[in-house]
Amino acid sequence: TVRGSDSTDGEKSDVTTVAWHYVTGTLDGKCRMWKADGTEARALAEHTGPVFSAAYSPTGKSVLTASADGTAVVHDATSGEVVQTVRHHKGPVLDAAWRNDTQFATCSADTTVAICEVGRAEPLAILIGHQREINSLAWDPSGTVLASASDDQTARIWSAEKGICLHTLDLHAKEVYCVAFSPSGPGSRNPEKRSLLASGSFDGTAKLWDASSGECILTLGTHTQPVYDVAFSWCASFVATASLDHVVRVWDTASGACVRAYRARGACFKLAWRSTAAELAVAVATGDVVVLRVR
């Protein structure tokens, strides 16, 4: 367990996001980079509002953060210095996701998605189609397709090159809060497996979709509160769900069976699988990050 996400007044602040190698973001606007032994390496304090997303670029060169203050910030992962601050939205930036080491996407409460490039002042594209705020983004392993999750109760799959919506996924009964692509299909480490998209919703369920056809394959539905995050294991054989019901569940992507459940001391906000091991980091409302070894 990693502890120490305290706010400036000494009180614990909810950990809202986590990513390997480790970087966390909190509601007090702080991001923290951690050493492997659980001690703090440095704090990133550029944001003036809650941080909703923090992610390393594919090679680990940069860290990208997104905040309610309306900005996304690219940091140098070694020094922590700001490389670029992006202001492409008219509302809070609710998520940001790397496409590759130089391009990324952001989404906002203003109902739009921006595709951005480090060092470029204007966005490469703006994607329009959702009717309410967009909560989450995910790139497929090939970097050609982008998924988004929205309060309009849909997830969308977009062609990044054409800037058009390929599929609208509308089977959830409430807001869709998170999406994630499996590390499978073209451009992935598991090319022999088909590409899947997972979506999580305030209706308490997660769904698995065929990313090519948009067909719903499985509904994973035993959480009693909203599902706040979904994440695939590196082998694409498992998908984890995190919920406000204090429970993390790990599911078999072929059968839909729940193979592991973990009850935390608070609401579970964010998940991150280690890229080469069966370890799952969980950001918990208590201010802790718990690392689970999934066997």
Side-chain angles (χ1 to χ4, degrees):
T1 300
V2 175
R3 302 183 188 278
S5 295
D6 297 337
S7 63
T8 53
D9 60 5
E11 296 297 321
K12 284 284 188 179
S13 182
D14 291 357
V15 178
T16 55
T17 186
V18 62
W20 295 87
H21 325 252
Y22 297 99
V23 58
T24 59
T26 59
L27 292 179
D28 64 5
K30 298 290 181 61
C31 290
R32 289 173 172 84
M33 301 172 71
W34 303 87
K35 299 176 183 178
D37 63 4
T39 59
E40 184 177 323
R42 66 176 52 85
L44 310 175
E46 285 72 29
H47 289 296
T48 59
V51 176
F52 296 129
S53 175
Y56 277 87
S57 62
T59 64
K61 177 182 177 182
S62 304
V63 173
L64 175 64
T65 58
S67 171
D69 64 14
T71 69
V73 178
V74 180
H75 309 260
D76 182 280
T78 301
S79 66
E81 294 182 358
V82 174
V83 176
Q84 184 176 8
T85 299
V86 174
R87 296 180 176 87
H88 294 329
H89 295 286
K90 297 178 181 179
V93 181
L94 302 180
D95 197 16
W98 289 102
R99 183 183 194 180
N100 50 45
D101 246 27
T102 60
Q103 294 182 357
F104 57 92
T106 59
C107 65
S108 172
D110 69 6
T111 75
T112 68
V113 175
I115 300 178
C116 315
E117 187 169 57
V118 177
R120 183 185 173 107
E122 298 300 321
L124 297 171
I126 298 290
L127 306 180
I128 299 173
H130 282 295
Q131 302 303 307
R132 296 183 62 188
E133 66 183 48
I134 303 171
N135 300 306
S136 176
L137 294 172
W139 290 96
D140 82 325
S142 71
T144 61
V145 175
L146 179 69
S148 57
S150 172
D151 277 4
D152 64 11
Q153 300 185 18
T154 73
R156 288 176 179 251
I157 299 177
W158 307 82
S159 166
E161 301 302 326
K162 297 180 180 179
I164 61 173
C165 179
L166 301 175
H167 303 290
T168 299
L169 314 178
D170 59 359
L171 296 183
H172 281 292
K174 292 185 178 180
E175 296 93 330
V176 184
Y177 196 74
C178 50
V179 283
F181 278 102
S182 60
S184 54
S188 76
R189 65 175 65 189
N190 303 290
E192 76 285 356
K193 297 182 179 180
R194 67 174 169 176
S195 179
L196 300 175
L197 179 73
S199 60
S201 170
F202 277 24
D203 65 13
T205 72
K207 293 182 183 292
L208 296 186
W209 312 79
D210 184 295
S212 297
S213 67
E215 175 190 2
C216 184
I217 301 167
L218 288 170
T219 297
L220 312 173
T222 57
H223 285 292
T224 59
Q225 294 290 327
V227 175
Y228 246 56
D229 200 20
V230 289
F232 284 93
S233 63
W234 65 274
C235 61
S237 296
F238 304 101
V239 64
T241 55
S243 173
L244 297 190
D245 64 8
H246 300 196
V247 176
V248 172
R249 296 184 183 275
V250 179
W251 311 81
D252 184 293
T253 57
S255 67
C258 180
V259 298
R260 174 79 186 273
Y262 168 78
R263 179 169 291 277
R265 294 187 300 156
C268 300
F269 288 142
K270 200 74 172 178
L271 301 168
W273 286 91
R274 195 165 190 174
S275 60
T276 57
E279 294 182 346
L280 179 65
V282 184
V284 185
T286 55
D288 300 328
V289 176
V290 178
V291 179
L292 307 178
R293 288 177 174 82
V294 182
R295 302 300 181 192

